[in-house]
Amino acid sequence: MGIRGIIIVVIIIFTGFFLWNESNKLPATVFKAEELKIAACPTFYYMLNDLEDEGMTTVKTSSTAESIALLSDGKVDFFISGRAPMPGEPDFFYEVIGPGFSFIYKDEIFIFEEEMSHVPFYTDLSVEKIRNKFPLLAENLQEVEDVYNHLEEGIGITSLENTDYSKSRVVYVLQEDGTKSRYSRVPTLYYLSDEDYYLKIKEIIKNN
């Protein structure tokens, strides 16, 4: 066989291998909004509206605990919550998807926004950013290095990433009508996997 014949055989072999490889590739996961179910607790019901417009199935839960149960049982694919995980709760993947603050104290308490000027607050975040959302903290908010060293003295304000409920408890900041103050919570998306499929859907939810 001459050189020309050898070249032709090699081309045929490589072409055949390429076609076989392409035919045996797994099909790319196609995202279908109508197949996705997402839950949210009351503070973030408003986030579900745009997702419904995208065709997603939404579930309004009464609490983060209920959302956790749904995700654990595979009844939803994602849920949006406003607090960090508690000790003993499942170790889900999660990502902050909007602005907000985490209010903590040595005990679980409720406080109305109108009462905030009468209580000492401590934070490891930007004082000005917090005051922009909570003007009543003009005089009684102090910046500190570690809010956990001050929970015997007052309420701490920190990031969700720095929230540790083994050393603190949730503070519920309420508006006059009894609903939770939006910026006293950090909108956070919880999900089961870091596979590409979930990451792509996560970006869609974040953009909404």
Side-chain angles (χ1 to χ4, degrees):
M1 180 185 296
I3 294 178
R4 186 175 179 181
I6 294 174
I7 292 173
I8 292 173
V9 171
V10 169
I11 290 174
I12 291 172
I13 291 174
F14 274 96
T15 301
F17 177 78
F18 174 79
L19 293 174
W20 178 88
N21 187 52
E22 287 298 307
S23 66
N24 283 276
K25 280 185 177 180
L26 291 174
T29 302
V30 178
F31 168 67
K32 295 182 180 179
E34 62 270 18
E35 295 179 356
L36 178 67
K37 294 181 180 179
I38 180 167
C41 51
T43 308
F44 301 108
Y45 282 171
Y46 73 92
M47 287 189 167
L48 297 180
N49 296 333
D50 288 341
L51 300 177
E52 288 176 354
D53 292 340
E54 291 282 342
M56 301 179 193
T57 299
T58 63
V59 181
K60 294 180 178 179
T61 63
S62 60
S63 65
T64 297
E66 183 183 351
S67 297
I68 288 173
L70 291 176
L71 185 59
S72 297
D73 293 342
K75 294 179 179 178
V76 298
D77 302 290
F78 296 85
F79 72 84
I80 302 171
S81 173
R83 68 161 172 81
M86 296 284 189
E89 289 182 341
D91 188 21
F92 298 131
F93 289 92
Y94 68 89
E95 182 173 334
V96 172
I97 57 173
F101 308 101
S102 180
F103 284 68
I104 56 176
Y105 186 54
K106 63 177 181 178
D107 301 308
E108 183 176 299
I109 62 170
F110 294 80
I111 182 172
F112 282 90
E113 286 184 346
E114 61 195 44
E115 301 173 323
M116 296 176 78
S117 60
H118 306 299
V119 179
F121 285 80
Y122 301 89
T123 186
D124 54 5
L125 305 175
S126 166
V127 168
E128 291 308 312
K129 286 185 179 180
I130 296 172
R131 285 176 177 161
N132 284 338
K133 301 301 182 184
F134 298 97
L136 291 176
L137 297 180
E139 303 296 333
N140 57 326
L141 176 61
Q142 180 179 342
E143 187 171 344
V144 296
E145 185 172 341
D146 188 344
V147 293
Y148 292 96
N149 292 334
H150 299 271
L151 297 186
E152 293 290 332
E153 309 159 36
I155 295 172
I157 305 176
T158 189
S159 63
L160 182 128
E161 293 84 357
N162 189 47
T163 300
D164 184 349
Y165 287 128
S166 68
K167 301 189 292 184
S168 63
R169 296 293 181 268
V170 181
V171 174
Y172 298 93
V173 182
L174 305 178
Q175 301 178 94
E176 187 176 354
D177 62 1
T179 59
K180 295 186 184 74
S181 175
R182 161 63 187 85
Y183 291 101
S184 69
R185 290 300 181 106
V186 185
T188 307
L189 185 69
Y190 289 82
Y191 49 100
L192 288 173
S193 173
D194 63 348
E195 295 176 0
D196 287 345
Y197 174 66
Y198 282 87
L199 297 179
K200 289 176 183 176
I201 299 172
K202 180 187 68 178
E203 290 305 312
I204 292 172
I205 294 170
K206 285 173 65 177
N207 291 334
N208 280 283

